[in-house]
Amino acid sequence: MISFWIASSDIRKNVFIPKYYDPRIERKIKELSTTHLIRDIGSMEEAGLLSASTGHEIGKEAYGTGSIPFVRTSDISNWEVKTVPKQGVSQEIYKAYADKQDVREGDVLFVRDGTYLIGTNCFVTGIEKEMLFQSHILKFRINDESALSPEILFLALNSPFVQAQVRSFQFTADIIDTIGRRYREIRLPIIKEERIAKSLAAQVKAALEVRVRGKAFVKQAPVLIERCLSIGSIKPITDFDNLSDEEIREALVSDTVTMEFGEFEATFVSSSGVKNRIFLPKYYDPEIDKELKALSTTCDILSIQELVDQGLLEIETGHEVGKLAYGTGDIPFLRTSDFANWEVKHDPKHCVSDKIYEEYSSKQSLKPLDILLVRDGTYLVGSSTIIQPGDEKSLFCGGLYRIRSLAPDRVDPYLLLGVLNSYIVKRQFRSRQFTRDVIDTLGRRLFEVRVPWPKDETFREELSARIRSVVEQRNKARDLIKQLAADYAPR
């Protein structure tokens, strides 16, 4: 949209922002009206079909008081809450807000404030445990599922047609963008043909179930993988897979990022034991050495530097393309916040042109099964993902390490992903991160991290196969949901 005319009589609520009147949206409504019923959220609220409410701001003093997730806008990715949200609260604080927020299965959490994240949403599933959510998030609930299923609401909200409306309605309030009360003006396309609606709802439900079971594995992976490594068997994973949804829900750990730092507070180190003039107590956490020693009966303990020196791994960082490159094209520029739960976001924040991609692709490259690991970013340090076919045409920023196995038969990428996400390795990331200027980083200390590599070949293959299955199934379901939303109501 470059420019268009609008009569003064068509100005609504003294809004003089051109994008608010995007004529393409009106044309699309006429086009969709033959197959869809178009209803605005406000009228659906008034009719009692749908309800909307916001979360609460609990105050920073509540952060880190417990392990119950306090879901913020950045904690929503690929239609689900991150397995390890940034902040957690205590049972006491949770109980103070739980009844007011009343989060249930089938609710949709929708980002209202936050510029790039506005319109991002997630579907609350039965496997989720307790949570609270902040005031920048709206909770939508269908009150009459015989009239409209939650899955169709979810599909409509993620359709290009609705997302285009979200962008046209958002405005700047103080220092942050928001859609404010304009969410009520969003017109939802509700498919008229009941048979088609039921089929689409069933497909969405099935895809979400695949992703939810896989997410449960990813969330529990630090515990499960460490147990497997300690006994040299995938039995802990097999036992977990055999649990019912309710049993999995009860078994899941309620971790937040702050839990990764462990409970270490102090230790004694002689002056001769000080390394590289590092005086951070957490750097010398004695529990890490104890755990690695215990794992040495079933695993070879190798530093990442040793794996590089043996020609098994190649590690490099990305580049900063500059803010002027943002939005120039459709090729993802992956940043530290553009992946979660072991996968790349389906809607990365910034994209670049083919010209910029060609300029930098000769300096950096991505291939399927490369691992991206966050080097810089405080809470995100140590987070990782594995590139899947179709995601490799991307650039990545300087705050990421790209880790490539040069000998997949000896260092399987999926197994490496799992080991990097074990507690013993994640704790080493946390013990080695430090503040540089205004941001935390791993710097070159990544190469000091020691990984427990299983000695038994059969065990390695079984563990790798299980991790691969989860990643591939979740990725396939992600792409299906994205396609269903794109086809449901194109822009």
Side-chain angles (χ1 to χ4, degrees):
M1 179 178 68
I2 300 175
S3 63
F4 59 94
W5 288 98
I6 183 171
S8 58
S9 59
D10 291 329
I11 298 295
R12 303 193 299 267
K13 302 175 184 178
N14 288 320
V15 177
F16 293 92
I17 302 173
K19 67 178 181 178
Y20 183 78
Y21 303 96
D22 188 343
R24 295 173 297 183
I25 292 174
E26 298 303 324
R27 290 197 294 268
K28 194 63 185 181
I29 287 174
K30 292 180 181 179
E31 181 183 324
L32 287 171
S33 61
T34 58
T35 53
H36 296 71
L37 176 66
I38 310 297
R39 295 194 64 178
D40 63 83
I41 290 178
S43 67
M44 294 172 70
E45 276 192 276
E46 292 165 6
L49 175 60
L50 175 150
S51 59
S53 59
T54 61
H56 301 81
E57 293 308 317
I58 61 176
K60 289 187 177 180
E61 65 275 9
Y63 295 172
T65 56
S67 58
I68 296 173
F70 176 57
V71 178
R72 293 146 55 96
T73 58
S74 59
D75 290 319
I76 297 175
S77 176
N78 282 357
W79 314 294
E80 62 192 15
V81 176
K82 290 181 179 179
T83 56
V84 186
K86 183 183 293 184
Q87 304 293 352
V89 301
S90 65
Q91 275 286 344
E92 181 181 5
I93 293 170
Y94 171 72
K95 288 178 181 177
Y97 291 94
D99 290 340
K100 302 173 189 176
Q101 297 202 353
D102 183 31
V103 182
R104 302 180 195 171
E105 180 180 2
D107 290 344
V108 177
L109 300 183
F110 183 96
V111 176
R112 180 180 68 174
D113 310 325
T115 311
Y116 294 107
L117 294 176
I118 292 176
T120 302
N121 58 83
C122 70
F123 194 93
V124 179
T125 66
I127 212 166
E128 307 288 352
K129 300 182 82 168
E130 303 104 327
M131 71 167 70
L132 297 178
F133 63 99
Q134 70 174 159
S135 63
H136 298 308
I137 295 173
L138 287 165
K139 182 191 73 180
F140 290 131
R141 175 176 296 163
I142 296 298
N143 298 320
D144 182 2
E145 294 190 20
S146 64
L148 178 65
S149 74
E151 289 81 10
I152 292 298
L153 170 66
F154 169 75
L155 209 55
L157 288 172
N158 285 286
S159 67
F161 170 64
V162 168
Q163 289 293 311
Q165 292 180 70
V166 170
R167 291 294 167 226
S168 72
F169 292 153
Q170 79 181 68
F171 61 98
T172 301
D174 296 325
I175 59 172
I176 193 172
D177 273 24
T178 182
I179 56 170
R181 295 281 294 172
R182 291 182 188 172
Y183 78 84
R184 290 174 53 84
E185 301 176 38
I186 294 174
R187 287 165 286 187
L188 296 177
I190 302 170
I191 200 157
K192 294 178 181 178
E193 180 62 52
E194 184 178 359
R195 176 184 59 82
I196 297 175
K198 286 184 176 179
S199 174
L200 286 172
Q203 291 181 72
V204 171
K205 186 175 182 179
L208 286 172
E209 286 175 352
V210 169
R211 288 185 56 77
V212 166
R213 289 289 294 204
K215 177 190 169 183
F217 176 87
V218 173
K219 185 172 182 62
Q220 199 77 352
V223 173
L224 292 175
I225 291 173
E226 195 141 323
R227 289 175 183 168
C228 290
L229 293 174
S230 67
I231 63 173
S233 165
I234 66 164
K235 186 178 185 302
I237 290 177
T238 304
D239 292 343
F240 183 78
D241 288 342
N242 290 332
L243 297 177
S244 65
D245 286 352
E246 181 59 31
E247 288 171 330
I248 285 179
R249 184 175 182 274
E250 293 303 316
L252 285 177
V253 292
S254 294
D255 274 4
T256 57
V257 168
T258 50
M259 299 290 285
E260 293 179 0
F261 288 88
E263 299 179 359
F264 170 75
E265 293 182 355
T267 187
F268 174 82
V269 178
S270 66
S271 58
S272 60
V274 173
K275 303 174 185 176
N276 301 321
R277 299 181 62 80
I278 296 172
F279 296 95
L280 298 174
K282 65 179 181 178
Y283 185 82
Y284 302 96
D285 184 349
E287 294 302 315
I288 291 175
D289 287 334
K290 290 180 182 178
E291 290 182 36
L292 288 171
K293 184 176 180 180
L295 288 170
S296 65
T297 58
T298 56
C299 301
D300 294 317
I301 310 300
L302 301 166
S303 71
I304 290 179
Q305 183 64 63
E306 288 176 302
L307 293 171
V308 171
D309 291 342
Q310 293 174 28
L312 301 175
L313 292 183
E314 177 184 83
I315 299 179
E316 65 175 27
T317 59
H319 301 81
E320 296 305 322
V321 299
K323 289 185 178 181
L324 292 178
Y326 296 170
T328 56
D330 300 317
I331 298 173
F333 175 58
L334 301 178
R335 293 148 54 95
T336 58
S337 58
D338 284 323
F339 54 83
N341 302 353
W342 296 3
E343 62 185 7
V344 173
K345 284 186 178 181
H346 74 93
D347 55 347
K349 184 183 293 185
H350 296 300
C351 293
V352 300
S353 65
D354 286 308
K355 180 179 179 181
I356 292 170
Y357 174 74
E358 292 299 329
E359 178 184 349
Y360 284 93
S361 61
S362 60
K363 305 173 187 176
Q364 60 167 254
S365 66
L366 276 179
K367 296 180 180 179
L369 307 190
D370 282 347
I371 292 173
L372 292 179
L373 185 139
V374 176
R375 181 188 67 175
D376 308 330
T378 309
Y379 291 105
L380 295 175
V381 165
S383 300
S384 56
T385 187
I386 189 165
I387 299 297
Q388 294 293 287
D391 292 332
E392 68 271 20
K393 190 173 182 180
S394 306
L395 298 178
F396 58 99
C397 72
L400 296 173
Y401 275 121
R402 189 216 68 194
I403 304 174
R404 176 176 296 165
S405 174
L406 300 179
D409 57 327
R410 295 180 60 187
V411 179
D412 180 89
Y414 286 102
L415 180 56
L416 179 60
L417 176 73
V419 170
L420 290 174
N421 280 277
S422 64
Y423 269 137
I424 185 58
V425 174
K426 290 172 83 70
R427 282 186 63 191
Q428 290 181 75
F429 292 148
R430 294 303 180 189
S431 74
R432 280 161 173 74
Q433 76 181 70
F434 61 98
T435 302
R436 182 169 57 194
D437 297 325
V438 296
I439 194 170
D440 272 23
T441 182
L442 264 178
R444 296 284 298 176
R445 294 181 186 174
L446 169 72
F447 296 88
E448 302 173 13
V449 172
R450 292 167 289 171
V451 297
W453 199 252
K455 296 178 180 179
D456 184 77
E457 182 179 357
T458 300
F459 170 49
R460 290 199 302 268
E461 291 174 351
E462 290 175 344
L463 184 53
S464 172
R466 184 67 188 100
I467 295 169
R468 178 172 187 157
S469 175
V470 168
V471 171
E472 291 182 344
Q473 288 179 24
R474 277 175 49 81
N475 188 71
K476 184 178 179 180
R478 178 201 70 174
D479 292 345
L480 175 60
I481 292 173
K482 184 177 181 179
Q483 190 61 54
L484 289 173
D487 294 341
Y488 182 80
R491 182 166 180 172

